[in-house]
Amino acid sequence: MEKNTLVHMGIIGIVIVLIIVMSVTGIPFPNNSPAATTCSAYDGLESILFRSDVYGTEDSLTFQYTPKDEKPATYYTSYAIYEYGSPIISEHNKVYDNITPANPIVINVSRKHDATYTMNMSIWKNDEACPLYQSRVTIAVGRVK
């Protein structure tokens, strides 16, 4: 093989390894789309628009997302729940209608006593390119020594 071909194959191999590492570790890929640049309008507004709460028992977790706006609205969500780092529930573009502070978005999951859980949530309205709210929460059992 020619030297240039070997160099190109080496570069391609490095790029493939980087893509695999980024996918496995969750490092985001660069996004140069126009929608990515318009999202800065929502930076810092998450806590103003929604409140998140987590409630737990020995056998379940409840993730609750309450809008601050009293006006009923339809929201779209994409979320993933991980148990010990492995996904157990995933929804994309799930619709919740008539959401108000009295009728929040509620997601329940069964729970193992010693497991660690992580919830990644994005909430938006259908006519908006950027999420109104994004959060990540991890729940782990505390040990008293």
Side-chain angles (χ1 to χ4, degrees), residues 41-84:
Y42 293 109
D43 289 349
L45 294 179
E46 291 91 352
S47 63
I48 296 170
L49 302 173
F50 280 87
R51 186 186 83 227
S52 64
D53 297 291
V54 180
Y55 305 97
T57 65
E58 284 191 30
D59 59 354
S60 70
L61 288 172
T62 299
F63 298 90
Q64 182 172 301
Y65 300 90
T66 307
K68 304 265 176 114
D69 189 353
E70 296 283 338
K71 181 179 166 189
T74 297
Y75 293 101
Y76 295 78
T77 66
S78 288
Y79 62 87
I81 300 174
Y82 298 84
E83 180 180 78
Y84 293 119

Side-chain angles (χ1 to χ4, degrees), residues 14-135:
I14 291 170
V15 169
I16 291 171
V17 168
L18 285 173
I19 290 171
I20 291 170
V21 168
M22 290 173 71
S23 296
V24 170
T25 61
I27 297 171
F29 292 94
N31 184 352
N32 296 324
S33 68
T37 58
T38 60
C39 288
S40 62
Y42 293 109
D43 289 349
L45 294 179
E46 291 91 352
S47 63
I48 296 170
L49 302 173
F50 280 87
R51 186 186 83 227
S52 64
D53 297 291
V54 180
Y55 305 97
T57 65
E58 284 191 30
D59 59 354
S60 70
L61 288 172
T62 299
F63 298 90
Q64 182 172 301
Y65 300 90
T66 307
K68 304 265 176 114
D69 189 353
E70 296 283 338
K71 181 179 166 189
T74 297
Y75 293 101
Y76 295 78
T77 66
S78 288
Y79 62 87
I81 300 174
Y82 298 84
E83 180 180 78
Y84 293 119
S86 297
I88 58 170
I89 298 173
S90 182
E91 292 283 347
H92 184 65
N93 290 331
K94 183 165 181 162
V95 179
Y96 289 89
D97 291 315
N98 198 33
I99 299 300
T100 65
N103 183 36
I105 297 168
V106 177
I107 300 163
N108 295 303
V109 63
S110 296
R111 172 186 190 182
K112 294 178 184 170
H113 176 67
D114 288 335
T116 298
Y117 293 87
T118 299
M119 164 66 110
N120 295 331
M121 170 63 87
S122 293
I123 302 172
W124 68 95
K125 291 187 175 182
N126 192 36
D127 59 348
E128 297 172 340
C130 301
L132 294 170
Y133 177 85
Q134 291 183 303
S135 73

